[in-house]
Tab-separated table of all heavy atoms in Angstrom:
chain	number	residue	atom	x	y	z
A	164	TYR	N	-11.570	-11.178	2.450
A	164	TYR	CA	-10.288	-11.874	2.559
A	164	TYR	C	-9.278	-11.126	3.423
A	164	TYR	O	-8.398	-11.754	4.024
A	164	TYR	CB	-9.727	-12.190	1.174
A	164	TYR	CG	-10.520	-13.274	0.487
A	164	TYR	CD1	-11.292	-13.015	-0.641
A	164	TYR	CD2	-10.531	-14.570	0.999
A	164	TYR	CE1	-12.035	-14.011	-1.253
A	164	TYR	CE2	-11.267	-15.569	0.403
A	164	TYR	CZ	-12.018	-15.292	-0.725
A	164	TYR	OH	-12.763	-16.276	-1.305
A	165	HIS	N	-9.394	-9.808	3.510
A	165	HIS	CA	-8.525	-9.065	4.437
A	165	HIS	C	-8.738	-9.579	5.863
A	165	HIS	O	-7.765	-9.815	6.605
A	165	HIS	CB	-8.821	-7.568	4.368
A	165	HIS	CG	-8.123	-6.753	5.420
A	165	HIS	ND1	-6.769	-6.487	5.385
A	165	HIS	CD2	-8.585	-6.167	6.562
A	165	HIS	CE1	-6.424	-5.764	6.443
A	165	HIS	NE2	-7.510	-5.550	7.176
A	166	ALA	N	-9.993	-9.779	6.243
A	166	ALA	CA	-10.297	-10.263	7.597
A	166	ALA	C	-9.766	-11.681	7.816
A	166	ALA	O	-9.177	-11.986	8.859
A	166	ALA	CB	-11.806	-10.225	7.832
A	167	ILE	N	-9.936	-12.553	6.815
A	167	ILE	CA	-9.471	-13.950	6.933
A	167	ILE	C	-7.945	-13.996	7.034
A	167	ILE	O	-7.374	-14.696	7.879
A	167	ILE	CB	-9.959	-14.783	5.723
A	167	ILE	CG1	-11.479	-14.971	5.789
A	167	ILE	CG2	-9.259	-16.146	5.682
A	167	ILE	CD1	-12.074	-15.604	4.531
A	168	ILE	N	-7.264	-13.240	6.165
A	168	ILE	CA	-5.794	-13.238	6.135
A	168	ILE	C	-5.223	-12.676	7.435
A	168	ILE	O	-4.310	-13.258	8.038
A	168	ILE	CB	-5.281	-12.429	4.918
A	168	ILE	CG1	-5.611	-13.173	3.623
A	168	ILE	CG2	-3.784	-12.167	5.022
A	168	ILE	CD1	-5.412	-12.340	2.365
A	169	LYS	N	-5.787	-11.548	7.874
A	169	LYS	CA	-5.299	-10.910	9.105
A	169	LYS	C	-5.451	-11.861	10.294
A	169	LYS	O	-4.547	-11.973	11.140
A	169	LYS	CB	-6.068	-9.611	9.349
A	169	LYS	CG	-5.464	-8.746	10.444
A	169	LYS	CD	-6.163	-7.397	10.535
A	169	LYS	CE	-5.520	-6.526	11.613
A	169	LYS	NZ	-6.209	-5.231	11.751
A	170	GLN	N	-6.574	-12.583	10.347
A	170	GLN	CA	-6.796	-13.521	11.443
A	170	GLN	C	-5.820	-14.691	11.387
A	170	GLN	O	-5.319	-15.147	12.425
A	170	GLN	CB	-8.241	-14.046	11.413
A	170	GLN	CG	-8.625	-14.871	12.640
A	170	GLN	CD	-8.477	-14.093	13.940
A	170	GLN	OE1	-8.985	-12.971	14.064
A	170	GLN	NE2	-7.764	-14.659	14.913
A	171	SER	N	-5.522	-15.169	10.183
A	171	SER	CA	-4.552	-16.270	10.036
A	171	SER	C	-3.181	-15.857	10.558
A	171	SER	O	-2.503	-16.636	11.231
A	171	SER	CB	-4.438	-16.700	8.566
A	171	SER	OG	-5.595	-17.375	8.149
A	172	PHE	N	-2.765	-14.631	10.256
A	172	PHE	CA	-1.476	-14.153	10.752
A	172	PHE	C	-1.474	-14.061	12.279
A	172	PHE	O	-0.494	-14.433	12.932
A	172	PHE	CB	-1.135	-12.799	10.138
A	172	PHE	CG	-0.723	-12.860	8.693
A	172	PHE	CD1	-1.133	-11.877	7.793
A	172	PHE	CD2	0.080	-13.884	8.222
A	172	PHE	CE1	-0.747	-11.920	6.460
A	172	PHE	CE2	0.468	-13.943	6.891
A	172	PHE	CZ	0.049	-12.954	6.011
A	173	LEU	N	-2.575	-13.594	12.855
A	173	LEU	CA	-2.683	-13.546	14.316
A	173	LEU	C	-2.625	-14.951	14.905
A	173	LEU	O	-1.925	-15.203	15.884
A	173	LEU	CB	-3.990	-12.863	14.725
A	173	LEU	CG	-4.057	-11.339	14.564
A	173	LEU	CD1	-5.479	-10.841	14.776
A	173	LEU	CD2	-3.111	-10.645	15.549
A	174	ASP	N	-3.358	-15.864	14.282
A	174	ASP	CA	-3.430	-17.244	14.790
A	174	ASP	C	-2.065	-17.924	14.792
A	174	ASP	O	-1.789	-18.767	15.652
A	174	ASP	CB	-4.411	-18.070	13.949
A	174	ASP	CG	-5.863	-17.679	14.188
A	174	ASP	OD1	-6.141	-17.052	15.228
A	174	ASP	OD2	-6.720	-18.001	13.340
A	175	PHE	N	-1.219	-17.595	13.819
A	175	PHE	CA	0.089	-18.252	13.710
A	175	PHE	C	1.223	-17.431	14.310
A	175	PHE	O	2.392	-17.739	14.109
A	175	PHE	CB	0.379	-18.629	12.254
A	175	PHE	CG	-0.300	-19.911	11.858
A	175	PHE	CD1	-1.611	-19.907	11.429
A	175	PHE	CD2	0.344	-21.132	11.993
A	175	PHE	CE1	-2.270	-21.078	11.114
A	175	PHE	CE2	-0.296	-22.317	11.679
A	175	PHE	CZ	-1.609	-22.291	11.233
A	176	GLY	N	0.854	-16.372	15.053
A	176	GLY	CA	1.861	-15.641	15.812
A	176	GLY	C	2.804	-14.816	14.967
A	176	GLY	O	3.957	-14.606	15.347
A	177	ILE	N	2.347	-14.329	13.798
A	177	ILE	CA	3.191	-13.461	12.976
A	177	ILE	C	3.091	-12.051	13.566
A	177	ILE	O	2.036	-11.424	13.520
A	177	ILE	CB	2.741	-13.469	11.498
A	177	ILE	CG1	2.635	-14.917	10.966
A	177	ILE	CG2	3.696	-12.639	10.649
A	177	ILE	CD1	3.916	-15.714	10.997
A	178	THR	N	4.199	-11.561	14.110
A	178	THR	CA	4.180	-10.354	14.957
A	178	THR	C	4.431	-9.069	14.177
A	178	THR	O	5.409	-8.345	14.419
A	178	THR	CB	5.221	-10.478	16.088
A	178	THR	OG1	6.497	-10.808	15.483
A	178	THR	CG2	4.843	-11.533	17.086
A	179	PHE	N	3.547	-8.780	13.208
A	179	PHE	CA	3.675	-7.501	12.500
A	179	PHE	C	3.516	-6.354	13.496
A	179	PHE	O	2.629	-6.388	14.345
A	179	PHE	CB	2.585	-7.368	11.432
A	179	PHE	CG	2.670	-8.382	10.323
A	179	PHE	CD1	1.596	-9.216	10.042
A	179	PHE	CD2	3.817	-8.493	9.554
A	179	PHE	CE1	1.661	-10.145	9.022
A	179	PHE	CE2	3.892	-9.421	8.531
A	179	PHE	CZ	2.809	-10.251	8.260
A	180	ASP	N	4.362	-5.332	13.354
A	180	ASP	CA	4.133	-4.104	14.110
A	180	ASP	C	2.946	-3.352	13.526
A	180	ASP	O	2.260	-2.617	14.235
A	180	ASP	CB	5.392	-3.227	14.094
A	180	ASP	CG	6.495	-3.852	14.930
A	180	ASP	OD1	6.298	-3.989	16.146
A	180	ASP	OD2	7.530	-4.243	14.360
A	181	ASN	N	2.733	-3.550	12.215
A	181	ASN	CA	1.531	-2.976	11.606
A	181	ASN	C	1.120	-3.815	10.408
A	181	ASN	O	1.953	-4.178	9.571
A	181	ASN	CB	1.766	-1.536	11.141
A	181	ASN	CG	0.461	-0.802	10.902
A	181	ASN	OD1	-0.352	-0.661	11.817
A	181	ASN	ND2	0.229	-0.348	9.686
A	182	TYR	N	-0.170	-4.143	10.357
A	182	TYR	CA	-0.739	-4.836	9.188
A	182	TYR	C	-1.818	-3.925	8.614
A	182	TYR	O	-2.870	-3.732	9.207
A	182	TYR	CB	-1.324	-6.194	9.568
A	182	TYR	CG	-1.713	-6.989	8.333
A	182	TYR	CD1	-0.732	-7.638	7.599
A	182	TYR	CD2	-3.031	-7.035	7.888
A	182	TYR	CE1	-1.061	-8.331	6.444
A	182	TYR	CE2	-3.374	-7.722	6.741
A	182	TYR	CZ	-2.375	-8.369	6.015
A	182	TYR	OH	-2.703	-9.050	4.858
A	183	SER	N	-1.520	-3.332	7.469
A	183	SER	CA	-2.396	-2.333	6.877
A	183	SER	C	-3.137	-2.908	5.679
A	183	SER	O	-3.251	-4.130	5.520
A	183	SER	CB	-1.566	-1.104	6.477
A	183	SER	OG	-2.400	-0.040	6.095
A	184	ARG	N	-3.638	-2.037	4.825
A	184	ARG	CA	-4.293	-2.462	3.582
A	184	ARG	C	-4.159	-1.333	2.558
A	184	ARG	O	-4.182	-0.158	2.910
A	184	ARG	CB	-5.749	-2.850	3.825
A	184	ARG	CG	-6.582	-1.855	4.550
A	184	ARG	CD	-7.903	-2.432	5.054
A	184	ARG	NE	-8.668	-3.098	4.022
A	184	ARG	CZ	-9.930	-3.511	4.169
A	184	ARG	NH1	-10.568	-3.328	5.324
A	184	ARG	NH2	-10.564	-4.115	3.197
A	185	THR	N	-4.025	-1.718	1.289
A	185	THR	CA	-3.760	-0.697	0.271
A	185	THR	C	-5.015	0.082	-0.122
A	185	THR	O	-4.934	1.015	-0.926
A	185	THR	CB	-3.103	-1.307	-0.983
A	185	THR	OG1	-3.968	-2.297	-1.542
A	185	THR	CG2	-1.754	-1.913	-0.655
A	186	SER	N	-6.178	-0.295	0.441
A	186	SER	CA	-7.380	0.513	0.211
A	186	SER	C	-7.476	1.659	1.218
A	186	SER	O	-8.363	2.504	1.112
A	186	SER	CB	-8.632	-0.366	0.315
A	186	SER	OG	-8.731	-0.939	1.613
A	187	ALA	N	-6.557	1.694	2.203
A	187	ALA	CA	-6.594	2.735	3.239
A	187	ALA	C	-6.285	4.106	2.628
A	187	ALA	O	-5.435	4.222	1.731
A	187	ALA	CB	-5.580	2.419	4.337
A	188	PRO	N	-6.952	5.164	3.118
A	188	PRO	CA	-6.692	6.519	2.585
A	188	PRO	C	-5.221	6.903	2.627
A	188	PRO	O	-4.714	7.528	1.690
A	188	PRO	CB	-7.535	7.414	3.505
A	188	PRO	CG	-8.650	6.528	3.980
A	188	PRO	CD	-8.048	5.155	4.109
A	189	ILE	N	-4.507	6.520	3.707
A	189	ILE	CA	-3.091	6.907	3.817
A	189	ILE	C	-2.255	6.283	2.703
A	189	ILE	O	-1.273	6.870	2.232
A	189	ILE	CB	-2.518	6.534	5.217
A	189	ILE	CG1	-1.174	7.238	5.427
A	189	ILE	CG2	-2.385	5.024	5.383
A	189	ILE	CD1	-0.673	7.165	6.851
A	190	HIS	N	-2.681	5.098	2.238
A	190	HIS	CA	-1.942	4.467	1.139
A	190	HIS	C	-2.251	5.165	-0.180
A	190	HIS	O	-1.343	5.405	-0.992
A	190	HIS	CB	-2.258	2.979	1.035
A	190	HIS	CG	-1.569	2.350	-0.136
A	190	HIS	ND1	-0.195	2.208	-0.192
A	190	HIS	CD2	-2.044	1.907	-1.330
A	190	HIS	CE1	0.139	1.679	-1.355
A	190	HIS	NE2	-0.967	1.492	-2.069
A	191	HIS	N	-3.526	5.477	-0.425
A	191	HIS	CA	-3.887	6.197	-1.656
A	191	HIS	C	-3.118	7.526	-1.732
A	191	HIS	O	-2.601	7.886	-2.793
A	191	HIS	CB	-5.399	6.442	-1.693
A	191	HIS	CG	-6.175	5.271	-2.217
A	191	HIS	ND1	-6.963	5.336	-3.338
A	191	HIS	CD2	-6.254	3.990	-1.777
A	191	HIS	CE1	-7.513	4.153	-3.565
A	191	HIS	NE2	-7.105	3.316	-2.623
A	192	GLU	N	-3.029	8.213	-0.591
A	192	GLU	CA	-2.310	9.492	-0.553
A	192	GLU	C	-0.824	9.293	-0.853
A	192	GLU	O	-0.225	10.041	-1.640
A	192	GLU	CB	-2.464	10.142	0.827
A	192	GLU	CG	-3.868	10.629	1.149
A	192	GLU	CD	-4.057	10.888	2.647
A	192	GLU	OE1	-3.026	10.978	3.371
A	192	GLU	OE2	-5.216	10.969	3.089
A	193	THR	N	-0.224	8.273	-0.215
A	193	THR	CA	1.221	8.037	-0.366
A	193	THR	C	1.570	7.630	-1.792
A	193	THR	O	2.521	8.155	-2.387
A	193	THR	CB	1.692	6.956	0.633
A	193	THR	OG1	1.346	7.355	1.962
A	193	THR	CG2	3.193	6.745	0.550
A	194	ALA	N	0.790	6.697	-2.367
A	194	ALA	CA	1.066	6.222	-3.731
A	194	ALA	C	0.836	7.347	-4.747
A	194	ALA	O	1.618	7.503	-5.705
A	194	ALA	CB	0.194	5.016	-4.054
A	195	SER	N	-0.222	8.137	-4.538
A	195	SER	CA	-0.500	9.256	-5.451
A	195	SER	C	0.622	10.292	-5.398
A	195	SER	O	1.051	10.827	-6.429
A	195	SER	CB	-1.831	9.914	-5.088
A	195	SER	OG	-2.905	9.020	-5.292
A	196	GLU	N	1.117	10.561	-4.169
A	196	GLU	CA	2.207	11.524	-4.009
A	196	GLU	C	3.459	11.037	-4.734
A	196	GLU	O	4.163	11.824	-5.391
A	196	GLU	CB	2.500	11.731	-2.519
A	196	GLU	CG	3.608	12.745	-2.216
A	196	GLU	CD	5.023	12.180	-2.314
A	196	GLU	OE1	5.223	11.000	-1.949
A	196	GLU	OE2	5.915	12.910	-2.784
A	197	PHE	N	3.754	9.740	-4.628
A	197	PHE	CA	4.917	9.168	-5.313
A	197	PHE	C	4.810	9.405	-6.809
A	197	PHE	O	5.764	9.850	-7.467
A	197	PHE	CB	5.005	7.661	-5.027
A	197	PHE	CG	6.149	7.284	-4.144
A	197	PHE	CD1	6.034	7.380	-2.768
A	197	PHE	CD2	7.343	6.840	-4.678
A	197	PHE	CE1	7.092	7.040	-1.938
A	197	PHE	CE2	8.403	6.494	-3.859
A	197	PHE	CZ	8.284	6.592	-2.483
A	198	PHE	N	3.627	9.086	-7.359
A	198	PHE	CA	3.448	9.204	-8.803
A	198	PHE	C	3.580	10.667	-9.247
A	198	PHE	O	4.277	10.978	-10.220
A	198	PHE	CB	2.084	8.648	-9.219
A	198	PHE	CG	1.910	8.543	-10.706
A	198	PHE	CD1	2.274	7.389	-11.373
A	198	PHE	CD2	1.405	9.609	-11.448
A	198	PHE	CE1	2.130	7.289	-12.759
A	198	PHE	CE2	1.263	9.532	-12.829
A	198	PHE	CZ	1.625	8.364	-13.488
A	199	LYS	N	2.908	11.583	-8.508
A	199	LYS	CA	2.934	12.996	-8.885
A	199	LYS	C	4.355	13.568	-8.822
A	199	LYS	O	4.782	14.311	-9.711
A	199	LYS	CB	1.995	13.805	-7.979
A	199	LYS	CG	0.535	13.675	-8.376
A	199	LYS	CD	-0.361	14.647	-7.642
A	199	LYS	CE	-0.617	14.224	-6.225
A	199	LYS	NZ	-1.653	15.044	-5.551
A	200	THR	N	5.097	13.198	-7.755
A	200	THR	CA	6.476	13.684	-7.620
A	200	THR	C	7.332	13.209	-8.789
A	200	THR	O	8.082	13.997	-9.389
A	200	THR	CB	7.086	13.209	-6.282
A	200	THR	OG1	6.321	13.750	-5.206
A	200	THR	CG2	8.534	13.635	-6.146
A	201	MET	N	7.226	11.943	-9.127
A	201	MET	CA	8.018	11.399	-10.231
A	201	MET	C	7.575	12.003	-11.568
A	201	MET	O	8.400	12.258	-12.450
A	201	MET	CB	7.908	9.875	-10.236
A	201	MET	CG	8.585	9.223	-9.037
A	201	MET	SD	8.339	7.430	-8.969
A	201	MET	CE	9.288	6.900	-10.398
A	202	TYR	N	6.272	12.227	-11.700
A	202	TYR	CA	5.720	12.844	-12.925
A	202	TYR	C	6.296	14.251	-13.108
A	202	TYR	O	6.729	14.638	-14.203
A	202	TYR	CB	4.198	12.877	-12.807
A	202	TYR	CG	3.476	13.583	-13.925
A	202	TYR	CD1	3.230	12.943	-15.138
A	202	TYR	CD2	3.015	14.896	-13.758
A	202	TYR	CE1	2.551	13.587	-16.162
A	202	TYR	CE2	2.333	15.554	-14.776
A	202	TYR	CZ	2.104	14.891	-15.978
A	202	TYR	OH	1.421	15.540	-16.982
A	203	GLU	N	6.328	14.994	-11.986
A	203	GLU	CA	6.848	16.370	-12.035
A	203	GLU	C	8.355	16.399	-12.293
A	203	GLU	O	8.876	17.346	-12.898
A	203	GLU	CB	6.508	17.097	-10.735
A	203	GLU	CG	5.023	17.443	-10.621
A	203	GLU	CD	4.577	17.730	-9.195
A	203	GLU	OE1	5.450	17.780	-8.286
A	203	GLU	OE2	3.356	17.897	-8.981
A	204	HIS	N	9.071	15.342	-11.845
A	204	HIS	CA	10.521	15.244	-12.098
A	204	HIS	C	10.824	14.841	-13.539
A	204	HIS	O	11.994	14.848	-13.946
A	204	HIS	CB	11.155	14.176	-11.192
A	204	HIS	CG	11.268	14.590	-9.756
A	204	HIS	ND1	11.662	13.719	-8.764
A	204	HIS	CD2	11.032	15.779	-9.145
A	204	HIS	CE1	11.658	14.357	-7.600
A	204	HIS	NE2	11.279	15.612	-7.813
A	205	GLY	N	9.802	14.434	-14.263
A	205	GLY	CA	10.031	13.925	-15.616
A	205	GLY	C	10.567	12.507	-15.626
A	205	GLY	O	11.306	12.113	-16.544
A	206	ASP	N	10.211	11.728	-14.598
A	206	ASP	CA	10.736	10.359	-14.477
A	206	ASP	C	9.957	9.335	-15.299
A	206	ASP	O	10.337	8.159	-15.340
A	206	ASP	CB	10.733	9.924	-13.006
A	206	ASP	CG	11.744	10.694	-12.179
A	206	ASP	OD1	12.865	10.912	-12.683
A	206	ASP	OD2	11.411	11.093	-11.044
A	207	PHE	N	8.857	9.740	-15.929
A	207	PHE	CA	8.050	8.810	-16.726
A	207	PHE	C	8.122	9.171	-18.206
A	207	PHE	O	8.388	10.320	-18.574
A	207	PHE	CB	6.577	8.842	-16.289
A	207	PHE	CG	6.336	8.402	-14.874
A	207	PHE	CD1	5.582	9.185	-14.010
A	207	PHE	CD2	6.849	7.206	-14.397
A	207	PHE	CE1	5.345	8.793	-12.702
A	207	PHE	CE2	6.622	6.794	-13.093
A	207	PHE	CZ	5.869	7.597	-12.241
A	208	ILE	N	7.851	8.192	-19.033
A	208	ILE	CA	7.670	8.406	-20.471
A	208	ILE	C	6.176	8.213	-20.734
A	208	ILE	O	5.590	7.220	-20.294
A	208	ILE	CB	8.459	7.370	-21.300
A	208	ILE	CG1	9.955	7.449	-21.002
A	208	ILE	CG2	8.195	7.548	-22.779
A	208	ILE	CD1	10.730	6.288	-21.574
A	209	GLU	N	5.572	9.140	-21.448
A	209	GLU	CA	4.158	9.008	-21.810
A	209	GLU	C	4.089	8.498	-23.242
A	209	GLU	O	4.640	9.108	-24.153
A	209	GLU	CB	3.471	10.372	-21.680
A	209	GLU	CG	1.963	10.317	-21.818
A	209	GLU	CD	1.337	11.698	-21.631
A	209	GLU	OE1	1.707	12.397	-20.657
A	209	GLU	OE2	0.504	12.076	-22.469
A	210	GLU	N	3.428	7.345	-23.419
A	210	GLU	CA	3.392	6.742	-24.754
A	210	GLU	C	2.004	6.220	-25.081
A	210	GLU	O	1.287	5.737	-24.197
A	210	GLU	CB	4.384	5.558	-24.849
A	210	GLU	CG	5.829	5.971	-25.005
A	210	GLU	CD	6.731	4.764	-25.271
A	210	GLU	OE1	6.207	3.685	-25.581
A	210	GLU	OE2	7.954	4.924	-25.146
């Protein structure tokens, strides 16, 4: 579906400067860093 969706956006002229995917390593790194930083700040409640 990533391939189908990306092609539909191209077909309809949606001019993203970047169309990524959340399975990409850079996203896993970024989301993990966010969680770890907030965890270390004490921004979460563990229940």
